[in-house]
Amino acid sequence: MLWVIGAPVVVLCVMAYMGSHLSPEEEQRQRDAEAIDLCDQEAGKQFDAGARRIATGACGLLRDRYREKYGHDY
C-alpha cells in the first residue's frame, strides 16, 4: 500500500531533478533572452529621445545577435 503513495512521489522528484538541470547552451540562451528583456525595459525608461533611440538600437543589435546565434527571433 505504501508503494502506491511513494511511487508517484519518487517519479515527481526525479522529473523535477531532471528538469532543473539545463544544458549550458540552454542556460546561455536564457541569459541572452533575459538581457534582451532588460534592455527593452531600460530603453523604455529613457526620457530623452536621443538616448531612447540609442538604447533601442542597442536592443536591436542584441536581437540580431540572438537570431544569428540561435536561428530564430526572440
Side-chain angles (χ1 to χ4, degrees):
M1 179 71 175
L2 184 60
W3 67 271
V4 173
I5 297 170
V9 170
V10 170
V11 169
L12 288 174
C13 289
V14 169
M15 289 174 58
Y17 175 79
M18 291 173 56
S20 68
H21 296 304
L22 300 174
S23 69
E25 295 82 12
E26 181 61 20
E27 288 179 2
Q28 182 62 48
R29 189 200 62 75
Q30 288 183 353
R31 280 193 297 272
D32 291 345
E34 289 171 3
I36 293 171
D37 286 340
L38 182 60
C39 186
D40 289 338
Q41 290 173 6
E42 292 301 316
K45 293 179 182 178
Q46 301 300 319
F47 294 111
D48 180 66
R52 189 178 309 116
R53 200 170 23 254
I54 291 170
T56 302
C59 296
L61 287 174
L62 287 176
R63 289 180 186 281
D64 291 344
R65 290 182 181 158
Y66 185 96
R67 187 179 314 110
E68 290 171 9
K69 187 173 183 178
Y70 300 109
H72 59 86
D73 289 332
Y74 170 71

